[in-house]
Amino acid sequence: MQFLNPWLLLGLLGVSIPIVIHLLNRFRYRDIDWAAMDLLRRALVVRARRVRLEDLILLVLRCAVLALLALAIARPTLTPEGGAAWAPGGADVGAVVAIDASFSMAHKPGVYSRFDDAIERTREVLKTFKPGDPVTVVLLGSRPRVLFRNTGYEADRLDSVLQAAAPLPEKVNLEGCLKEIEGLVSEIKAPVRECFLVTDAQTATWSGLSEPARASLGRIAESGRVFFVPVPAARSENLSVVRFECQSGVIRRGELAHYVAAVRNCGDQPRQRVTVTLYWGDKAVDQRIIDRIEPGKTEEAPLYVRFTDPGPVRLSVKIVDDDLPLDNVRSAVADIRAQVRVLCIEGAAITEAGEGESQFLCAALELGESGTPQSQVMIDRVGWQDLASRRLSDYHVAALIDVPGLADEQVEALGQFVDAGGGLLCFLGPNTQPGAIHKSLQFQGGSLLPGKIREAVGQENEKAQERWPEPVPGHPVAQVLAGLSKEFLSQVLVRRYFPLELAPGARSVVKLGSGDEEVLVAEKPLGRGRVVLLTSTADRAWNDLSIHPVYPMLLNGMLTFLGRAAHERPLVVGETLALPLPLAADRGEAVATFHAPGGAERSVQTIRRDGQVLAELGATEQPGFYEVGYSGATAALPVAVNVDPAESNVHPLADAAVAEALRGLLVNVVRPDEDLKSAIERGRIGREIWWELMLLALVVLLSEGYLAYWFTRRAAAEETPASDTRRAATVVTEKEGRACDAQTMGT
Amino acid sequence: MMVEHSQRKLRYLDPEVLQKIGSLELVAREVVEGMRVGVHKSPLRGFSSEFAFHRPYVSGDPLRHLDWRVYARTGRYYLKQYVAETDFTAHLLLDASSSMHYRSRAVSKLEYAKFLAASLAHLIVTQRDTAALAVFDSQLRRYIEPSSTMSVVRDIALELERVEPLPRTDVAAILHEFAGRITRRGFVILFSDLLDNIDGFVKGLDHLRFCGHNVIVFHTLDPYELTFPFDGTCRFKGLEKVEQLVTRPKRVREAYLAELEKYLKQIRDACRRSKVDYVLADTSRPVDAVLSAYLMARLQSG
């Protein structure tokens, strides 16, 4: 026998209450002076033994009532070993049914989707329960969604809940969900606890279970029976847009931007002529056809768009619909600026002819345009001693070019500029003293730079130690160089540079070798802005970068990256949407309103964190464009949210792979062709007996009450046949006595 | 009412009670022997106006009682016999043992019995009979000689005020003692809770009846003794005996009442057999109501 609430067995101590009361009553009495002691003694002699016996019976019954109540609320259960198999009636079962609701479950090769099949399997599972059995139904996604929590089973109610359920545009977070299920299973109070995992057994989710997930499954299996119920998955064909981003070019008004869309064939058959279309809002602006995509391969389609107007632009790329439409579209946001204003802060003096270290930089950014007000990039140059004469808030990007150091107030202004969302581009050079520059560029307890600079290595004219840039894959700035050949990049020679020890949170973008500190370009976020560091010179003194065609590409990439706003970074469904707003941190609380892709609207109070004003929505739930409006904004800021491409591979695990994945865990796998009902009911033994105990307690209580009444009244019935004559015969006169005698004699 | 012979108010002579029973009288049903002419039947014959019967003349009889008319008709000598009427002497026996001290309300059984005794003494003297008082426990403690003057009422009342509870009861011994002490047939009125040996009490009654006395028993009991209404756990301490009983009265109440019923039945039966008047005096009832009920019942039964 086991107890579902074992700690409530402490209630058995309550048995002592009647005993204590009984003992206390024996020693707590009041004194009464009494004349008719003989009568009382005779009454006691008659009743004493019986009273003692009756008292004992009543005491035992009262103790039994309390003991039975304590046992009942501790909810004892009969286990198979404890004789449950011989007890009448069916097993008392409680279950958690977890339905995989990741977007792969929306895969619909025919009439029914995998999720429809999962709902059908769930109905089969639920049919094995009795009305009132505690049931929890939960959808698995990036986090579990509980539809029905530890509630008595009602077929109609549960059916309507399941009818309304739909797949989520999310990937299953198996570790997190299993941990939650562990708690849900443990809160079920039933002799037999069961957990059903109804899933498409997607390879990406279930192969190679992580240790925490295995541990959670193990613990669930310890507290109940676990069933792995895969739904049938006949076809696994699926095309998916797995990537959509700006490849090269500058995102500025009037410029042509090069985007790339990567399409993956997750199915088993090759796909021919896949049309990829780029949309600006609802308008198609470019289209490409990919001739053939082999199974398991990814093909990229270049897409071009020219931005004509400033402001945020909603871009989407779509492919033709297939069995799983959710991953056929991918979105991005580009914030187009009318003009990018750059302030070059020079460490060396600028000659009257305009020569200086920033000369090459200016040429590369302006790309032949003169510095007219109509040009896309407006560059101002200033000596580092004259920095105080400029207002940094007038610029989008500030470039420090071989500056030996800055005054404290200038560093503070520069830090606040970056913190408020500005970009800082740093070049080093002969004027740079590593110790001095670090000491100088201190902001909010840390360095403005993305790492600690070592002493420069290499010589200005050294040939033997020439190095060339190697882009680090994955970074947007490096992406500009990613498509270039190694031979082309090897023409860019870097003769001297400062090795860099990256600070926490900083990333290397372009490297010069395999060593950790051989970094040419590094970046780090600071507040709402970013800092990019090039560890060599901006002119050709230490490298050939500034005279190579890759230089304007790299600089414009940096400018695009530094000028990129937070809302341009796309999110994955389930990620938290927390957007820094261009509001002063010392401003009072404001209200931000989020519009979800489905049309739902939610207003939140802005919060202040790390000196920024944040509008935080929480976890995103739909793919598409979320819009954030706030007081003072001219237009709502769009944020692109996409599905996780990892979920696009809808291949299920084979039976053997499932067995391998669940090896060592007490999990019953019920294949789609197996009879689910008989598989579940086999070995389902266990009964709860609290109801019977409660009934027994009630019977004992009623018996005690009846016996107490009977014990009191029985004596009266047996021993006082003529008690009513007591007062009637108050006066007996002598004559009545004679009459009585005569009557007796006559009789 | 002439009950105050001094400035002191006599507690147990309640004018209200005396007024209510004033119109009643205690009449002897059987013959009593008195010293004076009264309203009660005497065992003696001849000196009254009420003819009783004739008896043959025997030598020595006074000739003045010969019925000459009978002689004229029959030629035989017969004497006329008349019923004599006399007064009686009532002995009020008051049990003053400790058990009589029990009270559940303002008046104890002893005090109630004192009221009864004083009231009856006044009634008896008022109807020109003679009253005497004996206070006892296990032996006779106080005794006031019989008298028919109103002063004896005052003496009795004063004596009653002086009576304090005494250790133990022995009713039987007192009844036997008085059966031997009282030479003339009269009334013996007993006030007691009779919480004693019933057999001895019955023998005492029989002894008194054998001597020809009219006996009345006022059985004085407290209402709590009659109903036993206690609750919870109680320790009962004996008033006469050093004895303690701890019990839950609710559980033994019915048994107690059964024992009480059995005990009362024994007493009532004994009184019936001995032709003794029995009055159960519940101390919760007014004294005048108890006395009136008894005297009325006695008058009606002739």
Side-chain angles (χ1 to χ4, degrees):
Chain A
M1 185 180 285
Q2 293 176 342
F3 293 90
L4 299 181
N5 299 323
W7 55 275
L8 285 179
L9 283 174
L10 287 174
L12 283 173
L13 295 175
V15 171
S16 61
I17 293 172
I19 297 171
V20 170
I21 291 173
H22 179 79
L23 292 175
L24 282 178
N25 279 342
R26 286 188 64 176
F27 296 105
R28 283 178 53 198
Y29 45 72
R30 59 194 171 109
D31 284 331
I32 294 173
D33 291 329
W34 190 245
M37 289 298 280
D38 287 341
L39 293 176
L40 182 58
R41 194 185 320 104
R42 284 202 292 275
L44 281 174
V45 168
V46 169
R47 295 280 296 159
R49 284 182 62 185
R50 183 178 287 177
V51 165
R52 266 202 300 275
L53 182 64
E54 290 170 357
D55 279 352
L56 187 63
I57 292 170
L58 294 178
L59 181 65
V60 168
L61 288 177
R62 283 166 192 162
C63 291
V65 168
L66 289 174
L68 287 168
L69 282 176
L71 284 173
I73 59 175
R75 298 183 64 180
T77 60
L78 291 177
T79 54
E81 303 80 32
W86 305 99
D92 294 321
V93 186
V96 173
V97 184
I99 306 168
D100 184 348
S102 62
F103 77 80
S104 68
M105 294 293 284
H107 190 259
K108 192 175 179 180
V111 180
Y112 298 107
S113 67
R114 292 182 180 183
F115 192 76
D116 294 333
D117 291 337
I119 294 294
E120 199 51 43
R121 293 291 266 178
T122 302
R123 287 197 177 102
E124 284 180 51
V125 169
L126 293 174
K127 277 179 191 166
T128 64
F129 295 116
K130 299 194 300 287
D133 282 346
V135 173
T136 297
V137 178
V138 57
L139 294 183
L140 306 184
S142 60
R143 59 191 167 84
R145 265 77 158 188
V146 179
L147 302 181
F148 207 73
R149 184 163 193 160
N150 200 9
T151 311
Y153 171 61
E154 286 177 56
D156 293 341
R157 197 169 153 206
L158 254 178
D159 204 52
S160 61
V161 169
L162 291 176
Q163 199 83 38
L168 305 166
E170 300 170 1
K171 181 179 185 294
V172 171
N173 171 12
L174 197 60
E175 284 179 21
C177 287
L178 286 176
K179 195 157 183 60
E180 287 282 328
I181 289 172
E182 210 182 312
L184 292 172
V185 170
S186 66
E187 75 180 23
I188 294 271
K189 303 287 185 192
V192 179
R193 285 192 278 209
E194 293 175 345
C195 176
F196 298 89
L197 300 168
V198 186
T199 175
D200 59 355
Q202 195 182 6
T203 306
T205 307
W206 290 98
S207 66
L209 282 178
S210 66
E211 272 312 309
R214 287 183 68 83
S216 289
L217 262 179
R219 283 192 291 271
I220 294 169
E222 278 173 16
S223 58
R225 305 163 75 208
V226 180
F227 292 88
F228 186 83
V229 186
V231 295
R235 270 164 55 94
S236 303
E237 298 302 321
N238 184 35
L239 278 179
S240 169
V241 181
V242 293
R243 186 163 61 85
F244 173 52
E245 60 193 5
C246 180
Q247 180 74 8
S248 63
V250 289
I251 299 178
R252 285 200 291 273
R253 182 169 62 88
E255 295 290 338
L256 189 69
H258 172 201
Y259 278 81
V260 65
V263 182
R264 183 175 177 79
N265 180 3
C266 303
D268 300 319
Q269 300 295 324
R271 301 296 290 268
Q272 310 280 350
R273 297 189 64 75
V274 177
T275 305
V276 184
T277 310
L278 174 65
Y279 289 86
W280 178 338
D282 297 330
K283 182 183 167 190
V285 293
D286 198 4
Q287 192 172 68
R288 290 285 183 276
I289 293 175
I290 302 174
D291 285 338
R292 183 182 173 89
I293 310 176
E294 295 295 332
K297 297 293 181 189
T298 302
E299 296 293 337
E300 293 182 349
L303 296 160
Y304 296 91
V305 57
R306 186 179 294 279
F307 301 115
T308 52
D309 299 314
V313 172
R314 295 162 181 78
L315 296 172
S316 303
V317 65
K318 294 179 185 173
I319 56 172
V320 287
D321 275 349
D322 59 2
D323 294 343
L324 184 58
L326 267 171
D327 58 357
N328 293 343
V329 60
R330 212 156 184 85
S331 308
V333 169
D335 203 351
I336 312 303
R337 292 200 172 90
Q339 189 180 51
V340 178
R341 298 174 66 85
V342 181
L343 176 65
C344 290
I345 305 158
E346 302 245 16
I350 304 168
T351 64
E352 287 185 3
E355 292 177 346
E357 284 189 68
S358 64
Q359 186 180 0
F360 288 88
L361 184 142
C362 295
L365 288 178
E366 288 173 342
L367 289 174
E369 295 177 1
S370 59
T372 61
Q374 289 76 29
S375 63
Q376 302 298 312
V377 179
M378 173 66 83
I379 301 174
D380 282 347
R381 299 166 70 187
V382 65
W384 65 279
Q385 294 95 339
D386 301 328
L387 177 59
S389 64
R390 302 301 174 104
R391 197 168 61 186
L392 285 171
S393 60
D394 292 340
Y395 300 91
H396 295 109
V397 176
L400 287 177
I401 300 167
D402 194 18
V403 173
L406 292 172
D408 289 346
E409 57 272 22
Q410 291 172 337
V411 173
E412 183 67 22
L414 205 55
Q416 286 177 0
F417 165 72
V418 178
D419 194 47
L424 178 62
L425 183 57
C426 299
F427 293 87
L428 306 180
N431 292 330
T432 306
Q433 296 298 319
I437 195 82
H438 269 292
K439 196 172 178 183
S440 173
L441 299 181
Q442 289 292 313
F443 176 69
Q444 291 181 350
S447 174
L448 281 175
L449 300 178
K452 191 172 182 182
I453 298 166
R454 306 286 185 202
E455 287 298 330
V457 296
Q459 297 298 322
E460 291 182 17
N461 297 312
E462 186 180 343
K463 298 290 181 185
Q465 292 294 322
E466 287 169 352
R467 300 168 181 85
W468 55 88
E470 297 170 16
V472 177
H475 196 278
V477 175
Q479 199 69 30
V480 177
L481 308 180
L484 303 177
S485 67
K486 196 171 179 181
E487 291 74 23
F488 185 67
L489 287 176
S490 64
Q491 295 169 11
V492 181
L493 299 177
V494 178
R495 296 182 293 279
R496 186 173 168 81
Y497 76 104
F498 290 92
L500 183 71
E501 181 188 346
L502 289 172
R507 295 170 64 187
S508 58
V509 179
V510 180
K511 297 196 71 173
L512 291 171
S514 57
D516 288 342
E517 297 184 353
E518 292 178 297
V519 178
L520 178 63
V521 181
E523 68 92 4
K524 79 164 185 180
L526 181 67
R528 292 207 305 272
R530 287 174 181 276
V531 179
V532 172
L533 172 69
L534 199 143
T535 57
S536 192
T537 54
D539 60 9
R540 55 182 301 189
W542 288 8
N543 58 65
D544 293 337
L545 189 62
S546 54
I547 56 169
H548 195 276
V550 83
Y551 193 51
M553 294 166 65
L554 185 64
L555 281 181
N556 276 293
M558 287 178 179
L559 213 58
T560 301
F561 177 71
L562 286 172
R564 196 166 76 164
H567 64 273
E568 289 181 83
R569 188 177 77 83
L571 301 176
V572 173
V573 178
E575 270 191 285
T576 299
L577 174 51
L579 202 62
L581 300 179
L583 296 173
D586 56 352
R587 181 184 158 150
E589 283 188 346
V591 175
T593 306
F594 287 90
H595 295 270
E601 185 179 309
R602 188 177 156 203
S603 295
V604 296
Q605 288 282 339
T606 57
I607 55 173
R608 265 171 283 182
R609 189 186 299 158
D610 299 333
Q612 300 180 69
V613 178
L614 288 176
E616 188 167 317
L617 175 68
T620 51
E621 295 184 338
Q622 296 290 327
F625 292 102
Y626 280 72
E627 291 187 345
V628 189
Y630 57 96
S631 54
T634 52
L637 297 177
V639 179
V641 180
N642 297 307
V643 295
D644 191 335
E647 191 72 11
S648 293
N649 182 359
V650 295
H651 277 97
L653 281 180
D655 291 348
V658 169
E660 178 62 30
L662 302 175
R663 185 195 295 275
L665 296 169
L666 287 172
V667 177
N668 304 293
V669 180
V670 186
R671 293 195 307 274
D673 56 341
E674 274 189 83
D675 182 4
L676 185 59
K677 186 169 183 286
S678 60
I680 292 170
E681 291 182 344
R682 197 184 309 135
R684 186 189 260 185
I685 300 171
R687 273 205 64 212
E688 202 174 342
I689 55 171
W690 71 268
W691 195 87
E692 286 85 348
L693 287 177
M694 202 63 96
L695 195 65
L696 189 58
L698 183 65
V699 169
V700 174
L701 185 65
L702 291 175
S703 306
E704 191 272 340
Y706 175 73
L707 283 176
Y709 173 80
W710 189 59
F711 288 157
T712 310
R713 293 295 163 196
R714 186 185 54 179
E718 288 176 355
E719 296 169 6
T720 58
S723 59
D724 55 335
T725 63
R726 188 165 56 238
R727 279 184 178 270
T730 303
V731 177
V732 179
T733 59
E734 186 186 333
K735 188 176 180 184
E736 286 168 355
R738 282 198 298 273
C740 180
D741 284 348
Q743 206 173 34
T744 309
M745 288 168 69
T747 306
Chain B
M1 301 293 273
M2 297 296 290
V3 294
E4 288 188 12
H5 294 267
S6 68
Q7 291 300 314
R8 182 175 176 185
K9 185 179 178 184
L10 300 170
R11 184 183 169 202
Y12 296 110
L13 283 173
D14 186 348
E16 277 189 37
V17 175
L18 299 179
Q19 188 180 9
K20 284 178 182 173
I21 62 169
S23 58
L24 300 170
E25 56 183 9
L26 181 64
V27 181
R29 286 196 204 94
E30 296 177 9
V31 293
V32 290
E33 296 173 33
M35 298 294 291
R36 296 177 289 116
V37 174
V39 295
H40 312 290
K41 290 176 184 174
S42 168
L44 303 178
R45 301 286 183 265
F47 302 104
S48 174
S49 56
E50 188 178 346
F51 172 76
F53 54 83
H54 287 97
R55 72 170 172 82
Y57 173 80
V58 293
S59 179
D61 285 339
L63 291 178
R64 60 192 178 103
H65 292 302
L66 275 173
D67 189 341
W68 295 109
R69 288 187 181 180
V70 173
Y71 173 74
R73 284 200 300 267
T74 64
R76 293 177 182 175
Y77 296 105
Y78 284 93
L79 289 182
K80 281 178 108 175
Q81 293 289 296
Y82 297 89
V83 174
E85 291 179 336
T86 186
D87 62 344
F88 65 72
T89 300
H91 283 84
L92 305 170
L93 307 187
L94 177 66
D95 178 359
S97 63
S98 296
S99 65
M100 289 289 282
H101 194 56
Y102 178 74
R103 73 174 76 190
S104 63
R105 46 189 68 200
V107 179
S108 69
K109 292 189 285 184
L110 181 60
E111 285 180 318
Y112 194 85
K114 287 176 183 176
F115 276 111
L116 286 173
S119 303
L120 275 176
H122 183 267
L123 177 70
I124 289 164
V125 171
T126 306
Q127 66 184 33
R128 299 183 188 286
D129 290 316
T130 305
L133 174 70
V135 179
F136 69 94
D137 54 341
S138 58
Q139 54 187 297
L140 184 63
R141 297 291 182 184
R142 312 280 295 177
Y143 184 68
I144 293 177
E145 293 293 338
S147 170
S148 60
T149 61
M150 197 52 83
S151 64
V152 79
V153 176
R154 188 201 59 181
D155 294 343
I156 287 172
L158 289 172
E159 184 56 39
L160 288 174
E161 287 187 21
R162 281 195 288 269
V163 170
E164 290 296 326
L166 298 163
R168 293 202 58 173
T169 317
D170 190 352
V171 180
I174 293 303
L175 295 182
H176 286 300
E177 182 180 339
F178 269 81
R181 175 184 282 209
I182 307 169
T183 53
R184 294 166 185 270
R185 284 180 282 181
F187 270 89
V188 174
I189 304 173
L190 175 65
F191 305 93
S192 172
D193 55 9
L194 302 178
L195 295 174
D196 196 9
N197 180 8
I198 290 182
D199 292 338
F201 163 69
V202 171
K203 284 177 184 169
L205 281 184
D206 290 343
H207 192 176
L208 282 171
R209 289 295 296 150
F210 179 77
C211 296
H213 297 296
N214 288 270
V215 182
I216 304 170
V217 175
F218 280 92
H219 190 185
T220 314
L221 287 175
D222 190 271
Y224 274 29
E225 290 174 329
L226 291 168
T227 55
F228 205 59
F230 303 104
D231 207 348
T233 304
C234 302
R235 181 169 67 176
F236 293 92
K237 294 157 78 173
L239 284 169
E240 290 192 11
K241 301 171 187 173
V242 182
E243 184 181 13
Q244 294 182 346
L245 293 171
V246 178
T247 186
R248 282 191 291 155
K250 203 172 177 181
R251 299 297 305 277
V252 297
R253 180 172 176 269
E254 295 303 328
Y256 169 84
L257 293 178
E259 287 297 326
L260 174 68
E261 184 61 34
K262 204 187 300 179
Y263 154 77
L264 291 178
K265 189 169 181 298
Q266 279 181 312
I267 293 173
R268 277 197 300 267
D269 290 348
C271 290
R272 279 197 187 100
R273 276 196 305 276
S274 305
K275 300 181 180 64
V276 169
D277 281 1
Y278 170 82
V279 180
L280 177 59
D282 181 345
T283 60
S284 63
R285 298 179 66 204
V287 171
D288 55 324
V290 171
L291 282 176
S292 299
Y294 168 66
L295 293 173
M296 287 297 292
R298 186 177 175 87
L299 284 174
Q300 285 165 5
S301 64

